[in-house]
Amino acid sequence: MRKLELIITFILISATLTQAQNLTQSIESQINATREKENSTALNWSSYGEEEKTAAISSLQTYRQDSLLSVRIKAYDLLYQLSLKSTVNDTPQDSLPSLKLRQASFQAFLQGLNDEERAVQGFIADRLQSAEAEGYTDEMRNLLVGKLNPRHFYYEELVLALAYLDQTTAISPIINHLRTQSSEMSQMERWQAHIALARLGEQPALDFIVRKAEELQVNDNIIYDIYPTLAFTRQKAAVDVLVEQVFNDEQNCSSPDPDSNQKITCAYRILEIIAPIIQNFPIPVDEATGDLDTDDYEAALQQSREWLEANRADYVVING
């Protein structure tokens, strides 16, 4: 009996080592393909266990320090994939990565902000909100706060990520930037700083963005550049600006039909912005496309207007 137990243990250990080796080899293949500028098959992370994925974090350390920029970005991309709670390829039977593993991979991923190349820093900054808040340890949060000074080219992404994390220690540095460095900041940097502060609960910032947003004439640029930032604040006063525009029939926005030059009301696009963040909103949004999940947009707009009119005073903004 004892002999049988030893054999089984040996088999299990051998299988784990083989799988780890296979994952290491798969990562090496991905890196080599990057060096040769060739396409490679995406890794199916869910087919590997926790130990193998943990070992992969260490194996990627060398590639994060590679002299070739594309290899470093690929290494960080693989770490990013490892840090995700789940992927589109996962099934209910798959063993999803633990919080500890996701945190370890995201910790390594964030080190890309220290890379000498802006391309790597930008790659990391664009994905700062990809990890759920629980995936950030205190050490990671402090690292991001420390990146506020001096200001970097990814300042907008950084302040929004800190606001998403409800990192209140970022409030003072951001306010200081607006007070002492405003003339050096771009218009969008100043706007996003106010958006971040509004999400963090700073009333003066919220009052500022609401006042400015109410002065804007809605059009395609405002819909795509400004209105999503109002929704990001998750503050009802800011979302109220969007709700008000749902009732605007002015035809200032482009048609989704690429063959049509006819302008349409911007209300349809606004519904796509507010539907996911208002509790019990009557029209759902297709998560895959971001479009309203309806075959009749006119009917959906009418239904939404009626619901908003009845619930305008007490609708609830989902904090997410």
Side-chain angles (χ1 to χ4, degrees), residues 104-125:
S105 54
F106 206 67
Q107 173 75 50
F109 174 75
L110 289 179
Q111 299 310 307
L113 292 175
N114 297 322
D115 194 278
E116 61 184 13
E117 291 287 348
R118 288 167 65 103
V120 177
Q121 297 173 33
F123 181 84
I124 308 300

Side-chain angles (χ1 to χ4, degrees), residues 263-278:
K263 293 289 186 178
I264 63 172
T265 173
C266 300
Y268 299 116
R269 300 280 82 86
I270 297 172
L271 287 181
E272 292 171 351
I273 296 172
I274 67 174
I277 67 169
I278 294 181

Side-chain angles (χ1 to χ4, degrees), residues 83-86 96-107 110 128-141 161 164-167 199 320:
S83 72
L84 297 177
K85 190 171 186 178
S86 61
L96 300 182
S98 68
L99 175 60
K100 182 179 180 181
L101 173 64
R102 299 199 310 273
Q103 289 177 330
S105 54
F106 206 67
Q107 173 75 50
L110 289 179
L128 291 178
Q129 292 184 53
S130 63
E132 68 278 18
E134 68 173 1
Y136 276 88
T137 63
D138 289 343
E139 182 180 355
M140 294 183 223
R141 290 167 177 265
Y164 161 74
L165 294 171
D166 195 27
Q167 192 64 30
R199 174 150 179 157

